[in-house]
Amino acid sequence: MARHPKDRAHILERVQALGGLTPGVAQQVARETGVPEAEVYGAASFFHLLASPDTKVRVCTGLSCQLGGASGVLAAARAAGWPVEEVSCLAACDRPPAVMRERDVFVEVTAEDVARADGWASLTSRAEPSLDWTGAVGPVDADPDTLAMNLLAPPRYDGAALARSLELGAEAIVDRIEASGLQGRGGAGFPAHIKWRGVRQQAETARYVVLNADEGEPGTFKDREVMLRRPDLVVEGLAIAARAVGADDVYLYVRGEFGAPWRALEAAIERLAGPLDGLRFHLHAGHGAYICGEETALLEALEGKRGMPRLKPPFPTEHGLWGAPTLIHNVETIACVPGIVERGGDWFRALGRTEPGSKLYCVSGHVARPGTYELPLGVSLDELVEAAGGYVGTLRAFSPGGASSGFLPASERGTPLDFKHLAKAGSMLGSAGVVVLNDEADLGFAVREQLRFFEVESCGQCAPCRIGTRFLREAVDQYRDQHRDGGKPRLRQVAEAAWEMNEGSICGLGQAAPLPLTTVLDNFPEVFGADPD
Amino acid sequence: MRIQIDGRDVEFEPGETILEVARREGLEIPTLCHDPRLDPAGACRTCLVEVDGWRRMPPSCATKAQDGMVVRTRTERVGRHQRALLALYLADHVQGADACETGAPCELHAMAAKVGAPTDWTPLEPVRVGRDDPNPYIEFRADRCIACARCTRYCAEVEAVTAISLVGRGSKTTIGTVDASSLLDTSCELCGGCIDTCPTGAMTEKRPLLQLAPPERQLEKVRTTCNYCGVGCQLDLNVDPATKKIVKITSPPVGTPPNDGNLCVKGRFAYEFVEHPDRLTTPLVRGEDGALREASWDEALDRAARGLMGVKERYGADALGFVSSSRCTMEENYLVQKLSRAAFGTNNCHQCAAT
């Protein structure tokens, strides 16, 4: 048996250090840690960066990378005989197509780059040879006083916000968070102060703060940009949160594909070492699993287990990491904290238009300057795309919040992109990863790719999601291949399966997974014919 | 403390789940991943119920009853959920009960019929991969697996063995061993508890499959007591009604004392001695010529008694010693010491499990 639950937390990084799940590795890690070998193997097999160690090159097949030519790169790599596989979104939708060589992500890779390389190990991108690339951010002419994060400003390492928070005291900090109206920026939009108070009121004194930097929703790359450009905000925000809820240990779960953001966070923790005195920061790498962006799946992965979401309630505020009260937030949510502490909740609240605060919108697909734009929460698609240099072609459809938000028609271009209005439109703001499709895009293909994404990334724990994602994807494939097998019943099956996925799934992945198909059936009936049986 | 379930006011003990309270009241809620010996997983989703004031339907197996809670298990929403869920399960399964249930039974088909689930949803491409495993007893059939993890949880929580684990992710999630090795090369003790807890026959006995024996639901069950040790585990001989031979041994339902559905490798799999040609079925005594011949029990017991009494007469009672076997029941052990002390007058008696 493992000597302490925390010993188990390192089994996945040990498997990585030993080169992934090759024969004998799980047994070795089991011997080192006391965790049963079947559990080491089962946990590691969950994460695709560990489970297929022979794959050296991974081509992103997220929707934006597909629009940017990923299939040509994939075909070239296959033709070259490389050990290559498709991979779910690499969070580089603004600079497509992205390719990962081992754990290094290159962007704007072309088929010529593949042809030019002397074997997979020497693949680079001619357009962007650096691994420390960043994306476009804006708007460039914004008044800094209207931005909660301001990605164009240089990082600050004076620890001023943390010092201010110590003057204010814990209760006043949480009051400011409440006054700011800050909603979780990871996708759910849950009021942040409720979590903070939830942790503070627990009797248990061992508490943790966890950073969710497992950004992976297709179309989303804002957290990457925050960590690269303003890691100071993230680290300081975490420190403020830890002081406010009474935690001494902060865990940062950074997706395994984020080498450069990891280095940026590490450096920021180093530079803020003085003000952070007494707090322990622990960096943990993810190993390839979108579902670990779900907060309880992330906690499981941190504990060295398969990343399967927990049943809720209880929520992490009460029963989180190792069962202790845990405050867990998305990168952007945390990055808003220093500004709120320094300038007040009312200032932050007023930055928004229809809902509080400024918001990082990621925009990719058919726009002139894909990138991350900090705008008042509640701008319309047209305003966002204007900041991004305008549409390329004629707008047909857009996905306002990543794959989980489905597709909305051009007629919704004026709808405020916020939590409330998009929910009313049958979609969601989610992570605000906006993907724009013009009238040349194959919407049926787009649906198919989003469904495949959920199928691949489902954790497999509950049947509605595990089976339903595959059921919908196969139904669409059969339709698109013209192998239609019967009339109306198939439509009824798809509708019923989608309903069941939403009602029966344990977590948000399965609940939202049918949206790419159901929103297109609703909003674009022509895509699958009048009767997509 | 009281809750209301389907209009019935029910008292409950703190800590009880909705499912436990409902079942105690005789209300049926379907389950697949539930086994009372295990911590609830809430993963199969068949037991979702409506709770007034809750937006989402919680799994009754994992949700504790709370005072004043109003639970509904028979609503249109619950019914629709059960039908669609079972239709999905069936689409991802071996089609048809007869083709599916060649070994241990599968609860899916009857459950689907009971909730009125459509059985005509387009079957999916099989994606789960099994593994070749030369172990002689346990067969895992990935195409019947619903990844409910009862087997892996049983292996960890009840047996504390953890030879198997959920492996892979998404639709390819299956049950595996470290490096896909044979169970013989793992910590597996071949207790077969994974077979017992599996609700779909994905885990099943290998030997009956190789012998092309009839499926379990066509076998006659004969309850008996395991004779391998003194615990007295109850087990069911599964007898082929045509040949009257034992096809396999299963454990009685969970809750049956003393073994609560658990068995060990001997109790579950070591039954071939019953039909073995070397097995003695009548007593043998040695004749004048020194060769063994068949005898009646009376004759054999007389012979044994004479021999033992002869030793006592010649050398005294303490020249005798009596050792009984762990395979004997407590009553049999009692009788052996009675025989030793009262009949022969010696305290030289021992039992092989005593140290």
Side-chain angles (χ1 to χ4, degrees), chain A residues 221-384:
Chain A
F221 41 85
K222 63 186 177 65
D223 294 342
R224 177 205 78 201
E225 216 56 39
V226 175
M227 289 185 279
L228 288 173
R229 291 171 179 271
R230 296 303 305 271
D232 57 317
L233 294 178
V234 181
V235 174
E236 217 174 345
L238 287 168
I240 294 167
R243 293 299 187 210
V245 302
D248 292 328
D249 287 278
V250 178
Y251 288 82
L252 300 87
Y253 188 89
V254 184
R255 69 178 290 189
E257 298 84 347
F258 273 175
W262 172 290
R263 293 189 289 277
L265 287 174
E266 237 174 8
I269 293 166
E270 184 72 21
R271 291 192 65 172
L272 280 162
L276 297 181
D277 186 40
L279 288 176
R280 292 180 290 269
F281 278 66
H282 312 268
L283 279 152
H284 271 249
H287 300 280
Y290 161 78
I291 188 57
C292 290
E294 199 280 345
E295 59 184 13
T296 58
L298 185 152
L299 296 176
E300 291 284 297
L302 264 182
E303 293 181 9
K305 301 177 189 158
R306 296 167 58 79
M308 303 195 302
R310 300 175 181 172
L311 300 175
K312 290 174 282 190
F315 291 92
T317 48
E318 183 189 336
H319 190 91
L321 192 59
W322 295 299
T326 300
L327 178 71
I328 176 164
H329 271 311
N330 169 260
V331 170
E332 183 187 349
T333 317
I334 280 291
C336 291
V337 169
I340 293 169
V341 165
E342 281 194 290
R343 308 183 71 161
D346 295 337
W347 166 78
F348 180 85
R349 182 180 281 274
L351 300 180
R353 188 184 296 168
T354 57
E355 288 175 11
S358 58
K359 175 81 190 84
L360 297 177
Y361 290 95
C362 316
V363 60
S364 62
H366 293 135
V367 299
R369 276 200 309 276
T372 306
Y373 297 91
E374 183 170 3
L375 296 165
L377 184 46
V379 294
S380 68
L381 178 72
D382 280 345
E383 289 170 278
L384 169 62

Side-chain angles (χ1 to χ4, degrees), chain A residues 175-521:
Chain A
D175 286 344
R176 286 198 171 199
I177 299 293
E178 179 167 5
S180 76
L182 176 64
Q183 299 160 283
R185 297 319 203 208
F190 190 76
H193 73 273
I194 297 180
K195 284 189 177 181
W196 292 46
R197 285 204 205 287
V199 175
R200 273 176 60 73
Q201 74 186 23
Q202 297 297 320
E204 169 69 58
T205 52
R207 299 162 182 183
Y208 300 107
V209 169
V210 175
L211 178 72
N212 182 345
D214 196 42
E215 181 172 55
E217 180 75 34
T220 312
F221 41 85
K222 63 186 177 65
D223 294 342
R224 177 205 78 201
E225 216 56 39
V226 175
M227 289 185 279
L228 288 173
R229 291 171 179 271
R230 296 303 305 271
D232 57 317
L233 294 178
V234 181
V235 174
E236 217 174 345
L238 287 168
I240 294 167
R243 293 299 187 210
V245 302
D248 292 328
D249 287 278
V250 178
Y251 288 82
L252 300 87
Y253 188 89
V254 184
R255 69 178 290 189
E257 298 84 347
F258 273 175
W262 172 290
R263 293 189 289 277
L265 287 174
E266 237 174 8
I269 293 166
E270 184 72 21
R271 291 192 65 172
L272 280 162
L276 297 181
D277 186 40
L279 288 176
R280 292 180 290 269
F281 278 66
H282 312 268
L283 279 152
H284 271 249
H287 300 280
Y290 161 78
I291 188 57
C292 290
E294 199 280 345
E295 59 184 13
T296 58
L298 185 152
L299 296 176
E300 291 284 297
L302 264 182
E303 293 181 9
K305 301 177 189 158
R306 296 167 58 79
M308 303 195 302
R310 300 175 181 172
L311 300 175
K312 290 174 282 190
F315 291 92
T317 48
E318 183 189 336
H319 190 91
L321 192 59
W322 295 299
T326 300
L327 178 71
I328 176 164
H329 271 311
N330 169 260
V331 170
E332 183 187 349
T333 317
I334 280 291
C336 291
V337 169
I340 293 169
V341 165
E342 281 194 290
R343 308 183 71 161
D346 295 337
W347 166 78
F348 180 85
R349 182 180 281 274
L351 300 180
R353 188 184 296 168
T354 57
E355 288 175 11
S358 58
K359 175 81 190 84
L360 297 177
Y361 290 95
C362 316
V363 60
S364 62
H366 293 135
V367 299
R369 276 200 309 276
T372 306
Y373 297 91
E374 183 170 3
L375 296 165
L377 184 46
V379 294
S380 68
L381 178 72
D382 280 345
E383 289 170 278
L384 169 62
V385 173
E386 192 188 327
Y391 294 101
V392 173
T394 306
L395 174 68
R396 181 183 187 201
F398 67 105
S399 191
S404 308
S405 65
F407 294 97
L408 290 177
S411 58
E412 299 279 358
R413 64 200 300 162
T415 303
L417 300 174
D418 66 17
F419 294 103
K420 197 172 52 213
H421 285 89
L422 286 170
K424 214 175 285 172
S427 177
M428 61 168 110
L429 177 64
S431 53
V434 183
V435 180
V436 174
L437 300 177
N438 67 19
D439 56 1
E440 287 172 20
D442 179 349
L443 204 46
F445 173 76
V447 169
R448 195 264 174 199
E449 289 305 301
Q450 304 290 50
L451 293 177
R452 191 190 54 83
F453 165 76
F454 288 118
E455 179 186 354
V456 170
E457 296 297 338
S458 164
C459 83
Q461 178 180 205
C462 72
C465 175
R466 180 182 70 243
I467 306 173
T469 51
R470 189 154 52 104
F471 191 84
L472 296 190
R473 196 266 306 154
E474 288 195 8
V476 168
D477 275 353
Q478 281 168 10
Y479 178 84
R480 285 172 59 79
D481 296 345
Q482 299 302 310
H483 296 309
R484 304 166 67 165
D485 63 341
K488 296 244 176 203
R490 188 74 166 143
L491 175 60
R492 269 210 305 278
Q493 291 173 15
V494 163
E496 255 338 81
W499 180 88
E500 169 56 18
M501 289 165 73
N502 181 37
E503 285 282 6
S505 296
I506 291 176
C507 81
L509 188 155
Q511 290 159 11
L515 277 175
L517 178 57
T518 53
T519 52
V520 166
L521 290 173

Side-chain angles (χ1 to χ4, degrees), chain A residues 24 306 466 470 500 502 504, chain B residues 45 56 92 125 146 168 179:
Chain A
R306 296 167 58 79
R466 180 182 70 243
R470 189 154 52 104
E500 169 56 18
N502 181 37
Chain B
R45 313 308 281 170
R56 293 213 158 264
D92 186 37
E125 305 282 334
I146 57 165
D179 295 337

Side-chain angles (χ1 to χ4, degrees), chain B residues 79-131:
Chain B
R80 184 179 175 189
H81 152 72
Q82 290 173 349
R83 290 190 296 274
L85 178 65
L86 267 297
L88 280 174
Y89 272 122
L90 290 180
D92 186 37
H93 206 72
V94 174
Q95 299 294 302
D98 288 340
C100 175
E101 294 186 277
T102 53
C106 175
E107 293 172 24
L108 279 184
H109 309 283
M111 190 181 288
K114 192 154 198 176
V115 304
T119 53
D120 60 344
W121 282 25
T122 314
L124 296 166
E125 305 282 334
V127 290
R128 289 180 298 276
V129 183
R131 66 196 145 74

